[in-house]
Amino acid sequence: MRIDVLTLFPEVFAPFLSTSIVGRAVERGLVCIRCVNFRDFAHDAHRSVDDKPYGGGPGMVLMCPPIVEALESLDADGGEGSLRILLTPQGERLSQAMVGEFAKLARIVLICGHYEGFDERIRTVTGAREVSIGDYVLSGGEPAAMVLIDAVVRLVPGVLGDQQSVVEESFAAGTLEYPQYTRPREFRGLQVPDVLLSGDHGRIAAWRREQSVDRTRRRRPDLLGEA
Ligand code: ADE
């Protein structure tokens, strides 16, 4: 899978792309992730990417030419047909189902905004899908792009050692994950539930299903409605 990221701050991606699960996926060639600084596509000597909003008002607005031309340069480099994703609090809320869809694609482009927002024509011209990571406003799309990349990359086949862990985890089945325990068997008077030590795989599976539904009902009843 190939992921291109349009950003004014490529340096913030460097440690993220070389650490942990994402870092290992990149190192093993399971994903190729490239950052493009769209300031390189600015037209003036000041390398401007934003300007004051027509009609007045506070802040600055990202202008069309640098972002659109950066996307066109990716198209010319084999990226035609990539899904374009604009990170914005106005977008559709990111879900595990969306992440699963994105992970099946050969190539996606993430567009990170900054300042007050995008010139509306960027939406029209790029045809990008708009994605939000939650109902709060970040100062830029970069943390949102990292959230999306992390969630997608771990679903790319071969990235996680144990593919079963993807199936069993929270949200994959529409419910939260059951409680997990590891050694020691007793910690400060707290015991591991007996059923997990029973060796009875049928009982363990039933207990986990029940815990999963019970936990979801208490913490996230909205998920049970959707399931
Ligand atoms: N950019 C600013 N806030 C955002 C959010 N909540 N989700 C995605 N991109 C954003």
Side-chain angles (χ1 to χ4, degrees):
M1 177 179 206
R2 162 89 179 246
I3 304 176
D4 294 286
V5 185
L6 264 57
T7 171
L8 295 172
F9 303 98
E11 65 278 10
V12 308
F13 287 87
F16 169 68
L17 296 178
S18 60
T19 306
S20 188
I21 305 261
V22 172
R24 221 168 325 128
V26 169
E27 200 180 283
R28 291 165 62 205
L30 297 169
V31 285
C32 172
I33 306 175
R34 295 273 157 79
C35 291
V36 175
N37 189 337
F38 57 89
R39 196 177 292 285
D40 293 342
F41 293 82
H43 286 199
D44 63 350
H46 293 108
R47 311 217 313 144
S48 311
V49 292
D50 59 343
D51 209 334
K52 295 190 292 274
Y54 279 121
M60 301 288 270
V61 176
L62 285 167
M63 37 196 208
C64 294
I67 289 181
V68 171
E69 289 170 28
L71 285 170
E72 286 168 351
S73 81
L74 291 173
D75 283 352
D77 186 28
E80 222 168 350
S82 306
L83 176 69
R84 296 164 168 179
I85 299 173
L86 192 72
L87 281 321
T88 161
Q90 299 186 20
E92 187 184 347
R93 180 102 58 90
L94 187 66
S95 65
Q96 190 64 28
M98 277 161 83
V99 166
E101 268 178 57
F102 298 158
K104 291 191 190 117
L105 302 175
R107 194 159 169 172
I108 61 177
V109 187
L110 307 180
I111 307 163
C112 303
H114 251 268
Y115 313 109
E116 293 302 304
F118 299 95
D119 184 309
E120 189 61 21
R121 293 165 296 183
I122 291 174
R123 299 186 152 90
T124 318
V125 172
T126 63
R129 187 154 169 188
E130 299 185 38
V131 172
S132 164
I133 62 160
D135 292 341
Y136 39 82
V137 180
L138 304 167
S139 52
E142 284 76 12
M146 287 189 244
V147 165
L148 191 151
I149 291 170
D150 188 285
V152 167
V153 165
R154 58 198 297 289
L155 296 188
V156 169
V159 169
L160 292 186
D162 183 359
Q163 289 298 313
Q164 189 63 22
S165 64
V166 171
V167 176
E168 294 199 353
E169 68 196 358
S170 294
F171 299 114
T175 52
L176 302 180
E177 198 184 12
Y178 47 79
Q180 296 267 40
Y181 297 87
T182 188
R183 291 189 306 149
R185 271 171 78 150
E186 192 228 293
F187 179 70
R188 299 188 181 176
L190 300 170
Q191 307 288 340
V192 173
D194 284 339
V195 58
L196 298 179
L197 308 171
S198 69
D200 182 337
H201 297 299
R203 270 185 66 216
I204 292 172
W207 180 84
R208 285 178 166 168
R209 253 193 319 276
E210 185 189 295
Q211 290 287 319
S212 176
V213 171
D214 190 51
R215 178 164 281 199
T216 309
R217 191 178 295 122
R218 279 183 285 110
R219 297 187 183 191
R220 292 292 306 276
D222 55 307
L223 292 177
L224 291 176
E226 287 167 19

